[in-house]
Amino acid sequence: MRIVVLAGGIGGARFLRGLLAAAPEAEITVVGNTGDDIHLFGLKVCPDLDTVMYTLGGGIHEEQGWGRADETFAVKEELAAYGVGPEWFGLGDRDFATHIVRTQMLAAGYPLSAVTEALCARWKPGVRLIPMSDDRVETHVVVDVEGERKAVHFQEYWVRMRAAVPAHAVAPVGAEAAKPAPGVLEAIAAADVIVFPPSNPVVSIGTILAVPGIREAVAEAGVPVVGLSPIVGDAPVRGMADKVLAAVGVESTAAAVAAHYGSGLLDGWLVDTVDAGAVAEVESAGIRCRAVPLMMTGLAATTQMAREALALAQEVRA
Ligand code: FO1
C-alpha cells in the first residue's frame, strides 16, 4: 500500500509514528510543510522537516516535540554574548549541525529535496520525506504591533509573540510561484490513500495545498483522502491552531475544519469521541465521518488512530 501524508511539525510527526506501526509494510511518502522555514545566522532552518526527521529517526526532544534530545545551547549563548540574536528562537548545538549541513549543501547547488534526502540518510525515518517545494515559501502573519499593522514571519508570530496577538491574515509568501518538489505530484498520483494528519489546517496543510498543483493533484487523485481533526472539543489538541483558524474565518471546531477542507478534497474525516455530535454535520457536507479517540497520548493510541484512518479510507473506497 502506498500512503501519502501531508505533514506539518509535531502533530504530523507523532501521527506518522502511529502510521508506521499500523502499516509497517506500507510505502509512506511524507510531503512536508516548508512555510515555517526561517533563515537565521545565515543558516536555513526547516522546523517541520526536522521535526518529522528527528521524531521518526529517534533524535527528537520528546517532551518538547521539536529540537534535539540531550541538547545544549553553547553556540546560542556565544552568539548572544556578541549581541547576535534573535534570542527568542532556541537553536541548540546539535540542531545547529543539521542547519549547517543543509545550508552548505544548498550553497553547493543541491535543491532542498536532495538535501532532505541526504539528511534522512543519517536519520532513517522509515518514510520518504519530501519538502512540498524546493522553492522558497515563507508564511507571514498580519498582526498589529504598537498600533501599526504589519506582516511578520510565522516563527516571530508563533514563538516570539506566542500567538498572543490577533492574527488578521496568514499569507504563504512565494507559494503562488512555487513548484511542487520533484516526487510530490508523482507520489500523490501513485497513492492508494492520502492522509491529512492532525496538523495545523492553515499554516501546515494549508500551506502545502497552496503550492500550485498540489491541491489539484490531491483532489484528482481518485483515491480516498482522509483526515484527522486537530481540534478536539473546540480547542486545538496542542499548539495554537485556533489563532490562525480565526485569521481565515474558520471556527475552532472539528466540523468547521472539515468544511474548510471541503468535500472536494476530503472523503473521510475522523473527529474525537467528545465531538461525536459533529458527525452528522460533517456527513451532511458530503464527507464520511467517524468519532474515535484522537488524543495522541502514546504510541498505542496513535497507532489505533492510524488504523481508524486506514479503515475509514477502506470504507469510503468501498
Ligand atoms: N518552538 C518554540 O516554541 N520555541 C523555540 O524556541 C523553537 C525553536 C525551534 C528550533 C528548531 C525547530 O526545528 C523548531 C523550533 N520550534 C520552537 C518549533 C517551531 O517553532 C514550531 O512549533 C513549528 O514551526 C510549527 O510547526
Side-chain angles (χ1 to χ4, degrees):
M1 182 170 38
R2 283 174 295 223
I3 307 173
V4 169
V5 180
L6 309 189
I10 305 172
R14 289 189 174 156
F15 172 77
L16 282 163
R17 272 186 175 155
L19 186 62
L20 278 161
E25 306 301 328
E27 201 180 286
I28 302 172
T29 300
V30 179
V31 178
N33 170 42
T34 56
D36 295 19
D37 293 6
I38 185 165
H39 290 79
L40 293 171
F41 315 111
L43 302 174
K44 179 157 174 92
V45 181
C46 300
D48 285 1
L49 295 179
D50 289 349
T51 297
V52 170
M53 187 173 79
Y54 294 156
T55 300
L56 301 183
I60 199 76
H61 185 302
E62 289 290 344
E63 297 76 47
Q64 205 168 242
W66 51 266
R68 292 287 307 277
D70 303 319
E71 190 56 289
T72 52
F73 291 88
V75 174
K76 185 173 188 275
E77 285 159 21
E78 289 297 316
L79 287 164
Y82 286 109
V84 176
E87 78 300 325
W88 50 264
F89 201 73
L91 288 185
D93 299 330
R94 292 178 188 277
D95 200 24
F96 257 114
T98 304
H99 314 315
I100 291 169
V101 174
R102 174 184 292 124
T103 307
Q104 202 172 25
M105 286 188 71
L106 289 169
Y110 292 95
L112 183 62
S113 48
V115 175
T116 304
E117 193 179 337
L119 295 172
C120 285
R122 170 185 175 192
W123 290 101
K124 300 181 178 45
V127 299
R128 179 171 180 220
L129 176 61
I130 321 180
M132 64 190 199
S133 178
D134 281 334
D135 302 320
R136 184 168 170 171
V137 177
E138 235 174 53
T139 302
H140 287 195
V141 182
V142 177
V143 291
D144 292 332
V145 181
E146 287 159 11
E148 210 183 306
R149 189 151 293 194
K150 63 176 193 173
V152 298
H153 189 285
F154 169 76
Q155 295 296 350
E156 189 170 356
Y157 171 73
W158 202 248
V159 176
R160 189 167 82 82
M161 301 178 173
R162 305 242 61 102
V165 292
H168 298 292
V170 178
V173 178
E176 68 289 345
K179 289 179 295 300
V184 170
L185 298 182
E186 293 81 351
I188 293 171
D192 298 304
V193 52
I194 299 169
V195 181
F196 294 180
S199 288
N200 190 305
V202 181
V203 295
S204 298
I205 297 178
T207 307
I208 300 171
L209 293 170
V211 175
I214 297 188
R215 175 185 288 274
E216 297 76 2
V218 171
E220 290 157 17
V223 296
V225 180
V226 295
L228 298 92
S229 177
I231 303 289
V232 168
D234 300 347
V237 176
R238 67 173 316 290
M240 302 160 283
D242 48 335
K243 313 286 185 207
V244 282
L245 277 167
V248 296
V250 176
E251 240 188 300
S252 279
T253 66
V257 174
H260 173 64
Y261 286 129
S263 60
L265 208 54
L266 268 190
D267 301 301
W269 187 241
L270 292 178
V271 300
D272 188 84
T273 44
V274 303
D275 297 312
V279 169
E281 183 184 343
V282 175
E283 294 221 313
S284 70
I287 298 166
R288 192 79 62 94
C289 186
R290 297 286 173 266
V292 299
L294 288 187
M295 298 305 283
M296 294 195 280
T297 47
L299 184 60
T302 311
T303 305
Q304 188 53 30
M305 282 167 57
R307 285 200 190 104
E308 298 284 4
L310 296 177
L312 184 60
Q314 273 299 344
E315 203 184 314
V316 297
R317 186 184 282 120

